Amino acid sequence: AQKVTQAQTEISVVEKEDVTLDCVYETRDTTYYLFWYKQPPSGELVFLIRRNSFDEQNEISGRYSWNFQKSTSSFNFTITASQVVDSAVYFCALSPRRGWETSGSRLTFGEGTQLTVNP
Amino acid sequence: GAVVSQHPSRVICKSGTSVKIECRSLDFQATTMFWYRQFPKQSLMLMATSNEGSKATYEQGVEKDKFLINHASLTLSTLTVTSAHPEDSSFYICSAALRLGGGTDTQYFGPGTRLTVL
């Protein structure tokens, strides 16, 4: 069984602060994929990143960075110099590897972290 | 790229009526689409997996006869809530799976449909 835990239900920061959203996962698969999605107040989930379990390199994209540590089963997300527009619910998700002949990979979502960035 | 549309964005209906929600992948073909339900301040709950040309696979506890799913083409899946009741009021979200290299898919989500049943 797969499980994703986002222990932080709500986080509130002041603009320009750095903030880290935690994600811990459980899986028996040796190969899997991790995702982060952003859900702003409008409701649409926006894809942020996909990471293969073989690739433990950290990734940076502008103000966003991700720290994947297989040893602790964590895939944390850091926003540097936060902005009001970053206010949203952020979901971490996990999916197994599938062969090309099988149907689309299911996502197991965490409960989400509500981030509020105050001016 | 990887844009998914959903229509309507909001619908209000009377109890007992049926409502159809469309999900389209606009710039890619999606062999698999997913339907989720989300309650306020909660995570997404997978309702069913829809594969083009075959019957949908429903999650445990989801009524097949109540939530009819049709995936007629590689770019269109529909969810019909039949004989809707107030407890069916929710935010329904679809996603379309884009198959990239590496043996897994990335799901791209539609903007969601807010259903209110009076």
Side-chain angles (χ1 to χ4, degrees):
Chain A
Q2 301 194 325
K3 185 179 179 181
V4 176
T5 301
Q6 294 179 256
Q8 305 150 308
T9 306
E10 296 183 16
I11 300 176
S12 183
V13 299
V14 176
E15 207 169 18
K16 298 185 182 178
E17 285 185 14
D18 298 347
V19 58
T20 295
L21 309 182
D22 297 334
C23 173
V24 175
Y25 62 91
E26 297 175 30
T27 180
R28 293 181 180 177
D29 293 326
T30 54
T31 304
Y32 49 89
Y33 292 81
L34 295 160
F35 300 79
W36 275 95
Y37 287 89
K38 173 183 180 180
Q39 186 177 36
S42 62
E44 179 173 358
L45 269 82
V46 178
F47 166 72
L48 296 178
I49 190 171
R50 181 183 100 173
R51 176 49 53 91
N52 184 324
S53 58
F54 288 151
D55 183 3
E56 289 194 67
Q57 282 192 347
N58 291 332
E59 182 155 343
I60 298 175
S61 176
R63 296 184 297 108
Y64 295 169
S65 62
W66 291 270
N67 184 330
F68 175 33
Q69 297 210 351
K70 212 167 178 178
S71 60
T72 56
S73 298
S74 66
F75 186 43
N76 296 337
F77 173 32
T78 298
I79 302 175
T80 304
S82 61
Q83 300 175 2
V84 173
V85 292
D86 295 328
S87 297
V89 179
Y90 291 86
F91 290 99
C92 180
L94 168 70
S95 81
R97 179 184 175 93
R98 290 286 184 232
W100 285 101
E101 71 283 359
T102 59
S103 61
S105 304
R106 294 174 50 144
L107 285 172
T108 299
F109 282 93
E111 291 302 310
T113 297
Q114 170 71 61
L115 173 64
T116 302
V117 181
N118 298 300
Chain B
V3 178
V4 178
S5 71
Q6 204 171 326
H7 178 80
S9 58
R10 187 180 296 267
V11 58
I12 301 173
C13 69
K14 293 183 179 179
S15 186
T17 60
S18 294
V19 174
K20 179 185 280 189
I21 303 170
E22 288 189 353
C23 178
R24 293 180 185 272
S25 55
L26 298 185
D27 51 2
F28 66 100
Q29 293 184 331
T31 306
T32 305
M33 290 184 171
F34 300 84
W35 287 95
Y36 296 85
R37 186 172 179 176
Q38 186 180 33
F39 292 104
K41 296 189 182 296
Q42 293 189 22
S43 188
L44 283 75
M45 182 188 78
L46 180 64
M47 298 175 65
T49 302
S50 167
N51 289 298
E52 186 264 339
S54 62
K55 291 184 178 180
T57 302
Y58 290 82
E59 295 300 301
Q60 193 172 6
V62 177
E63 299 176 58
K64 300 178 185 181
D65 295 333
K66 178 150 192 72
F67 299 100
L68 300 179
I69 292 173
N70 182 277
H71 194 156
S73 76
L74 289 174
T75 60
L76 173 64
S77 177
T78 60
L79 167 68
T80 301
V81 183
T82 63
S83 187
H85 287 92
E87 58 265 29
D88 298 324
S89 298
S90 190
F91 191 55
Y92 292 88
I93 309 173
C94 73
S95 73
L98 177 58
R99 180 149 289 188
L100 301 171
T104 196
D105 305 333
T106 295
Q107 290 185 33
Y108 290 89
F109 287 81
T113 297
R114 176 80 55 194
L115 171 63
T116 303
V117 184
L118 302 176

